[in-house]
Amino acid sequence: MYTKEQLNDLYERVVKDIDISEALFDAAEQEYMALGLWIDRQTPTYKVSIYPQGSFALGTVNKPVKGTDDYDLDLVCEFEEQYGLSARVLKRSVVKPLLERYRKTKGEIEEKRRCWHVEYVDVPKFHMDVIPAVYRGSYIDITDHDEEIDYYEYIGSNPKGYVKWFQDRMAVRRRALRDQYCQAHRDVIKSQADIETLKEYHYKTPLQKAIQILKRHRDVMFDGDTNHVKPISIIITTIAAELYNNEDNIVDTLVSILTKAEGYIWAHKIGDEFHVDNPSYTGGDTENFADKWNEHPERAAAFFRWLAKARADLIDTKLYGFARVQMADNIKKSLGEVTHNRVFAQMAEEERQ
């Protein structure tokens, strides 16, 4: 039999296992900062900055399901102004050559719709997805490539604004956790400057941890997805943050998200179209993260199917009646065999000691 506290402890262990290490997080930060400095030096005509977006910026990075895979490091390569460059020229003639010259690549730089996918020989553990962009004030324009007609254009986005919005959604809990951390480490943290330099991983909130678990559950469920219907992280993250109510533990956070997510999606439809809009974008037309659902209904269906399975696997009341063996089997099937093996081996060793 499991109590909520025991289930929460189990999920805390899962998050600790799937989380990126502090050393790797710092290595990723150093790498993108080095890339940004190099590009800025190489382009005296332009003023350029590089910063992370996605899971690295939000503190929701997971280890790859397969230990041999690399982390994806999503970066924005932001030009201070457009400098008269079309989207095609900026992406293909300016940014691509810079990325090719920076370090020796493992192969051809791959063009994706909105970014360049780069793998460098001497940067272990990381792939980089670099998005060319132009600063527009309260938002940015990123390059978008329609492969069918080979057409490039600028479209609006706001990754920095999204990070701020996400942090605001969990601000109460972040402050509480930071205060707890500082109190527990008061012999090391002696000034306001020390507090301000603390990294996100020192006091991660239940929202961030719940998103990590949800993304891992999704990755396991859609392992080997050949139909390209796997739910994308930005939709999971946005809905989760919208529904978070500063709960102080992972279980209650998962319950809040998974019991309300489907209703949230239906309530935000506009006419016949699904909308999960970027809450931080103010550049004109909305940035709809679920726009592909309206073109490919099977992706929306897959998301609802995943939600139902996540509810059954992660928050169903039947979990509290599970014996240890049943819970272990559930974790293996829903969150991965490798994580199951490490988490339960650690628990067994603690009990043995």
Side-chain angles (χ1 to χ4, degrees):
M1 301 286 287
Y2 277 77
T3 64
K4 186 178 81 172
E5 289 71 25
Q6 289 170 323
L7 184 60
N8 194 71
D9 176 71
L10 181 56
Y11 288 158
E12 289 279 2
R13 291 172 181 269
V14 167
V15 169
K16 186 175 181 180
D17 179 75
I18 65 178
D19 206 359
I20 186 173
S21 70
E22 294 183 17
L24 273 180
F25 190 95
D26 289 341
E29 184 177 59
Q30 291 168 14
E31 188 54 47
Y32 76 72
M33 290 177 67
L35 174 61
L37 288 171
W38 184 87
I39 287 180
D40 200 42
R41 287 196 301 266
Q42 294 293 312
T43 56
T45 308
Y46 312 123
K47 185 167 180 57
V48 184
S49 61
I50 285 190
Y51 54 87
Q53 69 158 7
S55 58
F56 269 90
L58 300 172
T60 59
V61 182
N62 282 351
K63 292 175 183 172
V65 174
K66 298 174 182 175
T68 55
D69 293 342
D70 290 348
Y71 293 89
D72 283 325
L73 180 53
D74 296 322
L75 301 174
V76 177
C77 180
E78 182 184 292
F79 286 66
E80 188 176 61
E81 56 182 277
Q82 189 173 334
Y83 299 105
L85 303 170
S86 68
R88 178 188 290 271
V89 170
L90 178 65
K91 188 177 184 186
R92 296 194 62 85
S93 302
V94 177
V95 173
K96 183 183 181 184
L98 287 167
L99 296 175
E100 289 174 327
R101 283 164 35 209
Y102 176 57
R103 293 179 187 268
K104 182 179 179 181
T105 62
K106 293 182 180 179
E108 286 293 319
I109 293 180
E110 178 188 358
E111 182 173 16
K112 295 187 176 182
R113 179 159 187 166
R114 297 174 181 175
C115 68
W116 291 109
H117 180 79
V118 194
E119 300 178 34
Y120 291 114
V121 171
D122 53 349
V123 182
K125 296 290 188 182
F126 297 107
H127 297 156
M128 295 185 191
D129 285 342
V130 182
I131 303 171
V134 174
Y135 177 70
R136 298 295 192 194
S138 61
Y139 66 100
I140 62 173
D141 274 340
I142 63 176
T143 56
D144 184 70
H145 179 212
D146 187 329
E147 295 180 358
E148 291 186 8
I149 58 175
D150 192 28
Y151 177 71
Y152 290 81
E153 65 177 338
Y154 287 114
I155 61 173
S157 187
N158 189 14
K160 284 184 177 178
Y162 186 93
V163 172
K164 182 182 184 305
W165 168 81
F166 184 82
Q167 292 174 341
D168 288 345
R169 292 297 303 151
M170 56 183 184
V172 173
R173 189 53 46 198
R174 284 182 82 215
R175 283 195 296 270
L177 289 170
R178 187 179 67 175
D179 290 347
Q180 290 174 17
Y181 182 89
C182 293
Q183 182 65 23
H185 298 83
R186 57 185 180 275
D187 56 328
V188 177
I189 300 171
K190 301 182 184 301
S191 69
Q192 185 64 32
D194 292 334
I195 295 173
E196 290 172 355
T197 58
L198 284 176
K199 299 290 180 66
E200 186 76 31
Y201 49 65
H202 288 304
Y203 50 95
K204 190 167 287 190
T205 67
L207 172 61
Q208 292 165 304
K209 294 175 181 179
I211 290 171
Q212 287 180 277
I213 288 176
L214 291 171
K215 292 200 300 183
R216 176 47 55 96
H217 183 277
R218 177 236 15 222
D219 289 341
V220 171
M221 179 174 171
F222 289 90
D223 186 30
D225 171 36
T226 57
N227 296 319
H228 308 291
V229 297
K230 182 171 82 169
I232 61 174
S233 295
I234 192 64
I235 293 180
I236 295 172
T237 301
T238 302
I239 293 174
E242 288 279 19
L243 297 175
Y244 183 56
N245 196 31
N246 280 298
E247 290 86 358
D248 64 359
N249 64 85
I250 299 173
V251 171
D252 285 341
T253 303
L254 286 171
V255 169
S256 185
I257 295 166
L258 290 172
T259 57
K260 300 174 185 175
E262 190 165 343
Y264 175 91
I265 293 168
W266 290 112
H268 285 79
K269 283 191 75 175
I270 300 177
D272 293 330
E273 291 193 344
F274 288 106
H275 271 259
V276 180
D277 292 334
N278 182 344
S280 67
Y281 179 62
T282 58
D285 293 338
T286 59
E287 182 181 15
N288 180 14
F289 296 136
D291 57 349
K292 297 302 180 187
W293 288 12
N294 302 311
E295 299 175 28
H296 306 280
E298 65 275 11
R299 298 188 186 185
F303 193 92
F304 289 124
R305 191 168 70 250
W306 167 71
L307 275 180
K309 192 169 191 315
R311 285 195 296 268
D313 292 340
L314 300 175
I315 63 169
D316 196 285
T317 54
K318 70 177 185 295
L319 298 176
Y320 297 106
F322 277 0
R324 171 71 68 87
V325 174
Q326 290 173 292
M327 183 63 79
D329 187 57
N330 185 63
I331 294 294
K332 179 190 290 186
K333 290 177 179 177
S334 62
L335 297 174
E337 183 173 1
V338 174
T339 291
H340 154 272
N341 291 344
R342 286 194 291 247
V343 166
F344 281 89
Q346 180 190 36
M347 292 170 67
E349 176 62 18
E350 288 173 4
E351 292 174 0
R352 187 192 67 78
Q353 292 179 359

